[in-house]
Amino acid sequence: GKCVVVSAVRDPHGSIPSLWFWRHRERFCEGRQTKEQVLDEYKTWIRTTKDDLREQYGSFVTPHESLDVTAQVLSMFGVPRTNEALLGVLRQLAADGHTVIDAPNDGAWAGCSLLLLQIDWEKGSMDQLTRHLDAYAVEGTQVHMGNDNKSNCPKSEELYRHIKEYELGNGIIDHLSADNPELKAGMTYYKEFHDFRKMAAA
């Protein structure tokens, strides 16, 4: 047999607004607020420090920690926790949404490979993920999408779309990645990825 560890990465431009909406879904699910009200609250949230968010919400993942788990897993497979190293790995995903990294011979995962997947590659289709899992991990694996915020709260679809379309500027990205340089690498990669896809479509 073979030892394969499977992990995945998601676009922080999408996961951060999704995280915020999910944390506040009880208030916003009925869609009674205006777009301006919702966006103002979202902007305040992403400008808040990690410690202050922890104090307000207790133990939960903050936007500042996006891609932190990915960076931890990659470090177990010999990838340094730096912006440049993570960006180099993420760029390997651009072709078809996956890359494989062998663990160092002297590490805890020696003899194993990491299958890193880009779970939002070709949105709306799980074909790529299924193909890679079949090839590298468990044959016959089936991948299913769970319900998203749009499905869970259809009345607030316009509000959710509004915050997802809000572009996080360099100042906000610097704030969120102050003690998590890997987040900036993720932001950079996904901007490159989407720009390339737009050019290819044109």
Side-chain angles (χ1 to χ4, degrees):
K2 58 182 178 179
C3 171
V4 179
V5 177
V6 180
S7 188
V9 64
R10 183 182 174 195
D11 184 358
H13 294 92
S15 65
I16 289 175
S18 178
L19 173 66
W20 177 82
F21 190 87
W22 182 248
R23 293 294 306 180
H24 300 86
R25 64 190 182 282
E26 291 184 2
R27 288 201 299 118
F28 296 128
C29 207
E30 293 301 313
R32 297 191 181 99
Q33 294 81 3
T34 66
K35 292 179 180 180
E36 290 73 20
Q37 289 173 319
V38 172
L39 186 57
D40 283 345
E41 287 199 35
Y42 176 61
K43 287 179 179 179
T44 298
W45 183 76
I46 57 177
R47 287 185 172 93
T48 304
T49 66
K50 181 170 66 175
D51 289 342
D52 285 345
L53 286 178
R54 284 270 174 80
E55 188 173 328
Q56 291 176 39
Y57 296 99
S59 178
F60 89 106
V61 176
T62 68
H64 312 71
E65 297 165 288
S66 298
L67 291 182
D68 185 62
V69 172
T70 300
Q72 289 182 43
V73 172
L74 286 171
S75 70
M76 298 176 192
F77 284 80
V79 179
R81 292 202 61 161
T82 65
N83 186 333
E84 295 77 13
L86 182 58
L87 185 56
V89 171
L90 293 177
R91 283 173 173 158
Q92 296 174 31
L93 301 172
D96 67 351
H98 90 290
T99 190
V100 177
I101 300 170
D102 294 327
N105 292 328
D106 59 350
W109 290 97
C112 295
S113 299
L114 171 66
L115 171 60
L116 183 65
L117 301 170
Q118 183 171 331
I119 60 174
D120 44 12
W121 197 93
E122 291 291 349
K123 290 183 179 177
S125 171
M126 294 291 99
D127 293 346
Q128 290 288 342
L129 298 185
T130 300
R131 180 165 64 83
H132 297 318
L133 287 168
D134 273 350
Y136 293 99
V138 181
E139 187 176 351
T141 301
Q142 293 187 342
V143 182
H144 300 283
M145 288 289 287
N147 288 339
D148 56 11
N149 285 316
K150 176 182 173 182
S151 302
N152 289 321
C153 296
K155 294 181 181 178
S156 61
E157 179 181 353
E158 289 294 322
L159 298 180
Y160 181 51
R161 182 185 301 122
H162 191 57
I163 62 166
K164 285 193 71 174
E165 291 174 350
Y166 174 70
E167 185 173 350
L168 300 177
N170 290 334
I172 290 296
I173 293 174
D174 288 343
H175 160 70
L176 293 175
S177 59
D179 58 357
N180 178 10
E182 296 89 0
L183 175 56
K184 182 173 285 190
M187 292 286 196
T188 300
Y189 164 70
Y190 272 100
K191 186 176 187 309
E192 292 175 353
F193 177 74
H194 292 306
D195 287 348
F196 175 78
R197 297 289 301 277
K198 288 176 184 175
M199 289 175 59

